[in-house]
Each structure stands twice: as structure tokens, then as C-alpha cells.
Amino acid sequence: MNSMITRAIQWLDKIPHSLIAFVGRFSIAAVFWKSGQTKIEGLAIDLVDGTFQLGLPRLADSTIPLFKSEYALPLLSPALAAHLAAVAEHVFPVLILFGLATRFSALALLGMTITIQLFVYPAAYPTHGTWAAVLLYLMARGPGKLSIDHLIARRYAH
């Protein structure tokens, strides 16, 4: 029995970091991208359901009122917070998805996650903990071989 458990653990140890990182990158990028898409109009892209509406993005009419009421943050005006969140939820997920500046993009989204946890939805700690775990993994281990960061590192390692 003990050798069976040992073999199973050895088999699981062979799961490549690049696979874990890619799944983590795709998943966390989707979470933030889909949230960002609720804040804007004029640009709609969803690779999974096939939505493609290309246009100049702008804040949706409901976004600033949402930041005045439900998402009210200390120290930031609702308009500034809405714009910053909409930009962050589009730029950083794209960078993470392609694996470019992954560790720094993950750090930025971790900061956003902590802000959401502390000031917006404190009861959602199970969800935010999952996001934080993925982001911390990407920060600590990097994006893996299926990334632009890896290509850049290989190019300049020689």
C-alpha cells in the first residue's frame, strides 16, 4: 500500500510547472477580463463563447454609479476608481494570458484582489483566496515555458 501511494505521488510530481502556470494564467485572466467587460461598452471579446465586438471601449453608463454605491473605495473618487479598474481588468489579464510581464501583472492583480477583499466584498474571502493563490503562484514561479517571458529570458540568457 505504501509503495502505491509513493508511486502515485511520484506520478503527480511530474505535472509540469508550465501546464499549471498556463491553466492558472488562462483562468485568472478570464476572471479579471470578464469583470472588466462588465464595466465597458464598445469592445466585447470572449474567446470561449465567441463574442467579438471590436470598437473603441468606453465606460458603461452603470459603471461610475456602481463605484459610488457598491464599490465605494476610500481615497479614490468613483470616476477615477472606475477608470482604473476598467483599464487594469483589461491590460493585466492580456499580459498574463500571453505571459508578458507576468510576475508584475500578477502583483498588480493581487493588489486589486486585496483591495476588493478589504473594501468591497469582505465576505468573499474563499473566492479572493483562490485568486490570490493563483496570482502568488505566478509571482513566485513565473509563467512557464508557454509564454513570451520565457522566450525573452531564453533570448537574453545566452
Side-chain angles (χ1 to χ4, degrees):
M1 180 68 165
N2 192 21
S3 67
M4 220 163 67
I5 292 170
T6 301
R7 279 194 310 255
I9 290 171
Q10 289 171 342
W11 180 73
L12 293 171
D13 280 342
K14 293 179 183 175
I15 297 171
H17 155 68
S18 290
L19 175 62
I20 299 166
F22 180 76
V23 171
R25 286 180 16 231
F26 180 85
S27 300
I28 203 68
V31 166
F32 283 92
W33 178 267
K34 289 179 93 44
S35 177
Q37 289 281 274
T38 67
K39 295 173 179 68
I40 65 165
E41 296 172 344
L43 173 71
I45 301 172
D46 189 320
L47 299 175
V48 175
D49 76 8
T51 302
F52 291 100
Q53 175 195 352
L54 299 178
L56 193 59
R58 64 190 176 289
L59 281 184
D61 292 339
S62 60
T63 303
I64 293 175
L66 190 61
F67 276 80
K68 284 181 183 175
S69 59
E70 190 171 343
Y71 297 171
L73 296 174
L75 306 177
L76 292 177
S77 73
L80 178 60
H83 282 91
L84 289 174
V87 169
E89 289 179 331
H90 284 90
V91 172
F92 296 125
V94 169
L95 291 173
I96 285 176
L97 183 63
F98 287 105
L100 179 61
T102 305
R103 293 173 193 250
F104 301 108
S105 297
L107 177 61
L109 291 181
L110 180 62
M112 191 171 189
T113 299
I114 292 167
T115 300
I116 294 165
Q117 173 59 41
L118 293 176
F119 299 110
V120 181
Y121 295 122
Y125 59 89
T127 299
H128 300 146
T130 303
W131 298 354
V134 172
L135 294 165
L136 286 166
Y137 182 86
L138 292 173
M139 289 165 54
R141 299 288 309 277
K145 292 180 180 177
L146 302 171
S147 68
I148 295 172
D149 286 344
H150 178 74
L151 293 174
I152 292 169
R154 259 187 38 198
R155 168 81 167 104
Y156 290 101
H158 296 101

